[in-house]
């Protein structure tokens, strides 16, 4: 009992530790449900339909992550407004309405544009037109949900913040079961479940904010009005380039290779996402990196500790997938996808580079972003050129993906060692 109290008492007395533990638990449940959905889709759809579903999912992840740049912007402004003694009460809600309205208009415009171009996009992507049309509605969710999440984050309502992610996972899975199994909609049901799950997530966040989100005459201070600050633009380009590196290889495989190869590569892409686990440690690193570089102090220890925490699980999980990939695929996704197992070792090596790239991405956004953003964007362009110019098979695409992961990982380290580090003190 004494030992239990020694653990319980500090945990109970430290809200930050409680919040972190709670968010980690929600993330674990959310990720399990997410993978459950993908496994279910792989088992009930034909391989070519599964490849199409994963391709659209990759494209939506690109859009969702790029649009998520508004979350840290809103969170920062809301947190500043709540800490300020010079602003009227409820300024945070005025900021929320301001950004939500403009983000919503951008989202609706993008939905309309994709809807009008759905035929051409479907032909270019080698996807069914109906599936592209259904996926278009997710763009509205992609632009509005980050604003709601940023409001909750800025208000430090982390339980509801995590609840939005969980709401999407549960909503997508439940709606997917209804549309695919009960109504027999197949691929269209799998795609339609994504925006409908997003609606569930959005409603969870709005329910937390309540009526105050829509009432009150407080004007938005001019410094919080819609603006394209240098940091926001850098983050937007960086997020878009990063997600292009992480997503477009599958798009090209689905466009240019046979359906059977696309299904196998989609399997490897799905499994490689298990290997990217830097989320919690990056959240911890970000403010500490800001503080140390602002104080002209070297973050060497912080960086190598973060790299170890990110890399070790990736190496261990890669070993598991390399050694036991075939039986794992057979047990989860089914025997039709077992031939993807030889790709997993190369994918794991590539994801180790991607994990290090994520560290540098967040480190430079927290300090001096422009050179690394240029490197990341240049790497994304190089990846597209190679995917278009080189004769493709599955090992070649895997190698191109690996290059896209390791080039900014190595380049970020060189930038730090020869450019940023010499300007800092090395007292610790």
């Amino acid at each position: 009992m004494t030992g239990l109290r020694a653990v319980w008492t500090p945990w109970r007395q430290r809200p930050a530790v409680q919040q972190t533990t709670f968010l980690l638990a929600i993330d674990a449940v959310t990720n399990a449900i997410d993978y459950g959905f993908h496994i279910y889709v792989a088992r009930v759809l034909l391989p070519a339909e599964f490849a199409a579903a994963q391709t659209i999912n990759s494209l939506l992840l690109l859009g969702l992550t790029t649009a998520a740049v508004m979350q840290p912007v809103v969170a920062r402004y809301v947190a500043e407004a709540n800490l300020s003694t010079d602003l009227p009460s409820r300024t945070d809600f005025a900021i929320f309405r301001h950004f939500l309205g403009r983000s919503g208009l951008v989202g609706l415009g993008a939905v309309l544009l994709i809807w009008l171009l759905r035929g051409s996009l479907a032909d270019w992507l080698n996807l069914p037109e109906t599936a592209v049309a259904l996926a278009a509605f997710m763009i509205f969710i992609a632009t509005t949900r980050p604003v709601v999440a940023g409001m909750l984050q800025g208000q430090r309502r982390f339980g509801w913040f995590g609840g939005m992610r969980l709401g999407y996972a549960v909503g997508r899975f439940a709606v997917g079961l209804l549309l695919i199994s009960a109504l027999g909609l197949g691929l269209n049901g799998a795609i339609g479940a994504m925006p409908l799950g997003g609606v569930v997530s959005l409603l969870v966040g709005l329910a937390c904010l309540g009526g105050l989100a829509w009432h009150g005459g407080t004007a938005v201070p001019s410094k919080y009005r819609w603006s394209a600050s240098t940091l926001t633009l850098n983050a937007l380009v960086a997020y878009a380039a990063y997600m292009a590196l992480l997503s477009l290889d599958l798009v090209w495989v689905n466009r240019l290779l046979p359906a059977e190869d696309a299904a196998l590569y989609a399997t490897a892409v799905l499994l490689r996402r298990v290997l990217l686990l830097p989320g919690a440690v990056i959240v911890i690193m970000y403010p500490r990196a800001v503080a140390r570089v602002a104080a002209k102090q070297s973050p060497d220890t912080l960086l190598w500790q973060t790299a170890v925490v990110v890399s070790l699980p990736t190496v261990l999980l890669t070993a598991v997938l390399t050694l036991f990939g075939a039986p794992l695929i057979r047990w989860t996704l089914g025997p039709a996808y077992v031939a993807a197992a030889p790709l997993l070792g190369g994918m794991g090596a590539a994801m180790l580079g991607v994990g290090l790239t994520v560290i540098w991405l967040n480190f430079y956004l927290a300090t001096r972003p422009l050179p690394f953003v240029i490197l990341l964007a240049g790497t994304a362009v190089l990846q597209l050129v190679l995917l278009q110019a080189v004769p493709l098979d599955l090992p070649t695409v895997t190698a191109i993906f690996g290059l896209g992961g390791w080039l900014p990982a190595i380049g970020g380290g060189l930038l730090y060692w020869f450019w940023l580090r010499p300007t800092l003190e090395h007292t610790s």
Side-chain angles (χ1 to χ4, degrees):
M1 288 297 291
T2 302
L4 186 60
R5 288 195 195 97
V7 174
W8 168 253
T9 301
W11 186 89
R12 184 167 54 91
Q13 293 175 348
R14 296 179 64 183
V17 177
Q18 295 178 37
Q19 291 163 351
T20 301
T21 305
F22 184 66
L23 283 177
L24 285 173
I26 288 181
D27 273 351
V29 175
T30 300
N31 290 334
I33 296 173
D34 276 339
Y35 269 92
F37 175 76
H38 290 298
I39 290 170
Y40 166 72
V41 167
R43 286 191 165 273
V44 298
L45 299 184
L46 297 173
E49 293 177 326
F50 174 67
Q54 288 300 309
T55 300
I56 289 178
N57 186 65
S58 292
L59 289 170
L60 289 178
L61 283 174
L62 193 159
L64 287 167
T65 304
T66 303
V69 70
M70 294 312 303
Q71 179 182 316
V73 173
V74 173
R76 175 179 170 180
Y77 289 170
V78 167
E80 288 179 356
N82 286 335
L83 291 172
S84 175
T85 58
D86 301 326
L87 296 175
S89 62
R90 301 191 197 174
T91 297
D92 53 350
F93 286 100
I95 293 169
F96 165 74
R97 291 192 296 271
H98 178 81
F99 280 93
L100 184 68
R102 283 153 181 77
S103 296
L105 287 175
V106 170
L108 288 174
V111 170
L112 179 60
L113 180 63
I114 294 173
W115 181 266
L116 292 175
L117 298 175
R118 62 189 184 278
S120 300
L121 287 172
D123 290 340
W124 188 78
L125 294 167
N126 190 29
L127 294 170
E129 182 176 330
T130 305
V132 173
L134 289 171
F137 292 105
M138 191 64 186
I139 304 302
F140 177 76
I141 304 298
T143 57
T144 53
R145 191 172 60 176
V147 179
V148 181
M151 177 68 169
L152 294 173
Q153 185 180 12
Q155 291 182 329
R156 300 187 182 185
R157 303 171 79 173
F158 295 113
W160 285 94
F161 176 84
M164 287 187 66
R165 284 200 63 211
L166 183 59
Y168 175 66
V170 173
R172 181 176 65 170
F173 204 156
V175 173
L177 285 172
L178 174 65
L179 296 180
I180 299 172
S181 294
L183 301 181
L185 295 181
L187 174 62
N188 290 334
I191 303 304
M194 296 177 186
L196 291 174
V199 170
V200 173
S201 174
L202 194 61
L203 291 176
V204 168
L206 293 176
C208 171
L209 297 178
L212 286 176
W214 315 109
H215 300 294
T218 302
V220 180
S222 58
K223 67 176 180 177
Y224 295 135
R225 293 188 180 278
W226 187 277
S227 62
S229 68
T230 301
L231 177 59
T232 302
L233 286 176
N234 276 307
L236 183 64
V237 173
Y239 284 11
Y242 167 69
M243 285 310 299
L245 289 171
L246 204 60
S247 304
L248 292 185
D249 55 327
L250 176 57
V251 174
W252 251 252
V253 167
N254 193 70
R255 284 185 63 226
L256 302 177
L257 296 184
E260 295 79 6
D261 286 349
L264 296 179
Y265 198 79
T267 301
V269 169
L270 175 60
L271 291 174
R272 82 186 182 197
R273 292 183 189 134
V274 179
L275 304 175
L276 191 59
L277 302 169
V281 69
I282 293 299
V283 170
I284 296 169
M285 183 198 77
Y286 190 94
R288 294 173 67 193
V290 172
R292 291 194 67 81
V293 174
K296 299 292 184 181
Q297 295 177 346
S298 167
D300 287 356
T301 301
L302 172 65
L303 286 170
W304 75 256
Q305 287 175 341
T306 304
V308 169
V309 172
V310 168
S311 301
L312 188 57
T314 302
V315 171
L316 294 176
L317 287 172
T318 297
V320 171
L321 290 178
T322 302
L323 295 173
F324 306 106
L328 283 172
I329 292 173
R330 184 180 293 107
W331 179 64
T332 54
L333 303 177
Y337 304 98
V338 171
L343 299 174
L344 298 182
M347 284 294 188
M351 291 303 288
L352 181 59
V354 171
L356 297 175
T357 293
V358 174
I359 296 174
W360 289 125
L361 169 61
N362 285 272
F363 173 75
Y364 285 111
L365 287 179
T367 53
R368 302 174 193 173
L370 185 58
F372 186 75
V373 171
I374 293 173
L375 171 64
L376 199 62
T379 304
V381 172
L382 175 62
Q383 184 193 61
L384 283 176
V385 170
L386 292 175
L387 287 171
Q388 189 66 39
V390 174
L392 296 183
D393 55 25
L394 297 188
T396 301
V397 179
T398 304
I400 292 173
F401 174 72
L403 178 66
W406 275 102
L407 187 60
I410 296 171
L414 294 175
L415 274 175
Y416 175 70
W417 192 262
F418 292 107
W419 172 66
L420 182 56
R421 190 175 185 271
T423 67
L424 306 174
E425 298 177 3
H426 303 282
T427 56
S428 59

